[in-house]
Amino acid sequence: MNGSSRPRFALAAALLAALITLGSVASPALAAPSGKGKPGGGGGNAQLAYAALGDSYAAGLGAGSYLETSCYTSSKGYPALLDADANLALSARPACRGATTADVVSKQVPALPANAVRVTLTVGGNDVGFANVMQNCFVLVNSTCETHIIAGETMVQNGVLAQNVRNAIAAIKAKAPNARVVVTGYPLLFAPTSRYQWATRVNTGTVALNDAIEAAAVLAGAVYVDVEAPFTGHGIGSAAPWINDWSWLRSNDSFHANAAGYQAFAAALRPALK
């Protein structure tokens, strides 16, 4: 790389870090007056108090129709779709892009209503460096790519990620002791036909990440919901992708589920939330 291109690369990398990284974790804890217009509306006996915690996938980033642009909470994310069900009343959704397991404990659990009886949690991707991998392996591909992948793989292999997830679940249960905590994994981002060099390696890492999250959830007394299977055939590079590919025009949404993908999340979650 010559001297004149180096500042331009650095500027682009800084911009991408702000866009891809699941960014600010202000966690506004948007409340939803969900019961309106539903059977048992207003939090009546027919509805279960529900809260959604976690990262960008829990907020709905990628689906558009954002209610705000700090956490990128979407009206098409899976919490909003579940809120439309007659049996659930979404009372809080502090889920926020950029959130790690530590953020769930310190910033989101305080916003969790103590009377919540259903809580969904999608978290762990930021702990293992999702933004760094996406930026350095798929957008501005460079020699640090594998280093970032290995760092995430190591955190999964040495048990740190699993312990982090258990800590988050324990904090949720301490705040809302009557809650059923339902934890999701992540979809595999890339179809086997993907054009990206590192796609297979990242998919393999995602499987390992999901396995660690599942084991942690079960050990902590939570319910685990798999989303790998529903997304089969719908990764980036497929004929009908449910994941947004990289785009400079929609950089915030890149590598996240689209509206159809969040519908798949909601469908996978419903049986566990009855």
Side-chain angles (χ1 to χ4, degrees), residues 74-160:
S74 172
S75 63
K76 295 181 180 179
Y78 73 70
L81 298 176
L82 294 169
D83 180 45
D85 294 352
N87 68 314
L88 296 174
L90 183 60
S91 56
R93 45 183 165 188
C96 191
R97 69 170 188 161
T100 62
T101 50
D103 292 316
V104 168
V105 173
S106 65
K107 299 175 181 174
Q108 297 183 18
V109 168
L112 173 65
N115 68 341
V117 293
R118 298 291 185 271
V119 177
T120 54
L121 176 67
T122 303
V123 75
N126 290 309
D127 290 53
V128 299
F130 172 85
N132 286 332
V133 172
M134 293 302 106
Q135 177 181 333
N136 294 289
C137 301
F138 297 96
V139 181
L140 296 176
V141 183
N142 63 78
S143 60
T144 70
C145 167
E146 190 168 21
T147 300
H148 293 295
I149 292 176
I150 291 172
E153 291 172 341
T154 300
M155 183 172 285
V156 170
Q157 293 165 0
N158 64 16
V160 171

Side-chain angles (χ1 to χ4, degrees), residues 6-21 131-132 135-136 139-140 142 248:
R6 199 170 277 122
R8 183 170 56 192
F9 182 91
L11 178 61
L15 174 63
L16 288 169
L19 294 176
I20 300 176
T21 196
N132 286 332
Q135 177 181 333
N136 294 289
V139 181
L140 296 176
N142 63 78
W248 285 101

Side-chain angles (χ1 to χ4, degrees), residues 40-53:
N45 292 334
Q47 292 182 296
L48 302 171
Y50 163 51
L53 280 64

Side-chain angles (χ1 to χ4, degrees), residues 163-183:
Q163 183 60 58
N164 290 351
V165 172
R166 290 196 295 272
N167 291 344
I169 295 170
I172 291 169
K173 286 179 169 287
K175 181 66 183 292
N178 295 319
R180 179 189 301 169
V181 182
V182 181
V183 181

